[in-house]
Amino acid sequence: MNAPWWQTGVIYEIYPRSFQDSNGDGIGDLSGIIRRLPYLADLGVNAIWLTPIFRSPMADFGYDVSDYMAIDPIFGELSDFDALLTAAHAQDLKVILDLVPNHTSDQHAWFIESRSSRENPKRNWYIWRDPAPEGVPNNWCSEFGGSAWEYDSATGQYYYHAFLAKQPDLNWRNTQVRAAIYDVMRFWFRRGVDGFRIDVIWHLIKDEQFRDNPPNSAFTPGRPPHEAVIPLYTADRSEVHDIIREMRSVTNEFPERLLIGEIYLPVERLVTYYGRDLGGLHLPFNFALLFAPWRARDLAKLIEEYEAALPRGGWPNWVLGNHDRPRIASRLSGGQARIAAILLLTLRGTPTIYYGDEIGIQQLTIPPERIRDPFEKNVPGLGVGRDGCRTPMQWTPTDNAGFSTGEPWLPIAPSYEEQNVATQHSDSGSLYNLYRRLIALRRSRPSLTLGHYRPLSVRGDVLLFARELENERTLVALNMGHEATSVAFDSGGLAGRLVVSSFADRDGEPINGRIDLRADEGAVVELFQNRLLPI
Ligand code: GLC
C-alpha cells in the first residue's frame, strides 16, 4: 500500500493532563505518556495527537500559549519531549502536536509588548479597536460567552478575543505574525514532529471592515454545525485559505508531514479546506459523527453526503469523540458504543480515536466545586462543560485507576473498576479487544484501509455498506436497533466469513445468503465472490 502514513493509519488523541501521571502531582505528563507508548503500539494505532503541551498559564488548559517553543513544566521539559519523540518513533508511532495560532495567552511576550503602548511595534500583532459611542466596537461575541472585546484602560482601546479575555486573537493580516508562527512550525518539524492539528483554523481571519455578525452567531462547541448560525464576519473568511496555503508550503519543506484542521462547519463549507488543487489541509477534521442522530438511515445519508462532497483526491476522515464533546459511551445507549467503534474503523478515511473511548469511559458529571473548565465557569448551567469528557484514563481497577499516586486533577469516572485497560485486556469479549481486533483487521485488509465506499440499501435498523479494492471486498452490517434482526440477500449473493463481530464469540462464522444480527450487533464480513453484490 503506497499511501501516506496518515491515510493508512489510525490517529489517537491524548489529552496529556489526563493520560498518565508520573510524578504524583495528579496531572498527566510526558514521561507518563512515554510509559504508555507500548500500550498504544499494541492497540495498533499509528499516530498520537497531543493537545497543547506548550508553556501556558493554563487558563484554557494549554490553549492559551505563552511560549510556543517551550514545554510547560507541568508536562516536563524539552528533553522529555525529545525522549517522547524518539521512543514513539522507535515504536512506529507518529507524533502530532496541537498548534494554536489563532490566539496566544495574554501572558505571551508578544501580547505584553502589544498592550504596553499604542506605538509599540507589536501593537498591530493583535486586533485593537477604538471604543464605539456605545462602548464595544461591534457585536462580535466570544465563543465562551459575552462580548469578544476587552477594554484595556492603559491604552484606551479594546482588543478582540474569540475565546477567553486571557486569549487575545493574533492579527493574521500582519505578515510578521504569519512569519513568527511559520517559524514555530519549522522549529517543531525540525525536531521531528510529524504534523500539527491546528486549533480553530477557520477563525484566523476576521472581517477587515469589522461588520456586525448576524445575531446569535457565536459558535459554541456544544452546538451542531448544521444548527449553528455561522459567525459570518469572524470565521470562515475566504482569506483564511491563503494562510492555509502558506502553512502547507511550510509543511512541504519537510517530508511526509501532516496538517489537520479543527473546523466546525457544514460539510459543503468544510470541504473547501482541502484547498484549491488540494494545496490546503490534508485532513479538515470531519466532526459529522459527533452530532449525528444515531439511526441507520440518517447515518447512511450523512456518509453519502460527505463522500459526495469530497473534492477529487481529498482523503476523508472520521471522529467519534474529542476533548470538547461528551463521551461517545454516554451519548449512545445499549451496545451501540460497539457499533460506533465498528463504524469508525470500517468507514473510508482516517479514524481518530479519543483516549479512553476504546475502553468505554463514560461522561462524568463533575460536582460544581471540582469544575475546572473555564467554558463551564463562564456559562454555568448551559451543560456544555468539557471536564466530564477529560477525566483521567482508567488503567487498572486499583486506586486512582492507575493514573496517579496523587489526587487526580479531575475525578475519575466511578465505573473504572470495569472500564479499565487491565481488566478489559484479559477479556476477549471486551470493548478494548473489539477496538484492537478492528484496528488489526483494518490494517491487514486493503479494502478497509484504502478501498472505495459502496453504500448499500438500509434495511430497517441495519446500516449496510461495502468496502472494495480490486478483488477484495468487505461487507459491514450494523444493527443500530436494540432487537435481533436478519438481513437476507438474493440467493447466491452473499457468501463469506464473519471476521469481526461486536461479540467475539461469532468471529470466523461462515455467512451464506443472510446475516443474522443480535440486538446492537455489528458484523464485518469478508466476502468470497468477486461479484457485485446483487442488492
Ligand atoms: C478549540 C479547542 C478547545 C479550546 C478552543 C480555544 O476549540 O479544541 O478545547 O478551548 O479551541 O482554543
Side-chain angles (χ1 to χ4, degrees), residues 60 63 103 144 163 197 199-200 262 323-324 386 390:
D60 189 17
Y63 285 100
H103 43 269
F144 286 170
F163 297 88
R197 172 267 190 192
D199 192 57
V200 292
E262 185 206 24
H323 63 284
D324 294 324
R386 302 170 296 176
R390 297 174 175 177

Side-chain angles (χ1 to χ4, degrees), residues 13 15 49 51-52 60-64 98 100 102-103 143-144 162-164 167 197 199-200 202 219 221 262 264 287 322-324 373-375 386 390:
E13 177 187 355
Y15 195 71
W49 148 37
T51 62
D60 189 17
F61 296 115
Y63 285 100
D64 49 321
D98 206 316
V100 190
N102 180 68
H103 43 269
E143 306 289 334
F144 286 170
F163 297 88
L164 300 172
Q167 294 167 295
R197 172 267 190 192
D199 192 57
V200 292
W202 57 307
F219 174 78
E262 185 206 24
Y264 283 89
F287 293 133
N322 66 28
H323 63 284
D324 294 324
D373 180 14
F375 185 24
R386 302 170 296 176
R390 297 174 175 177

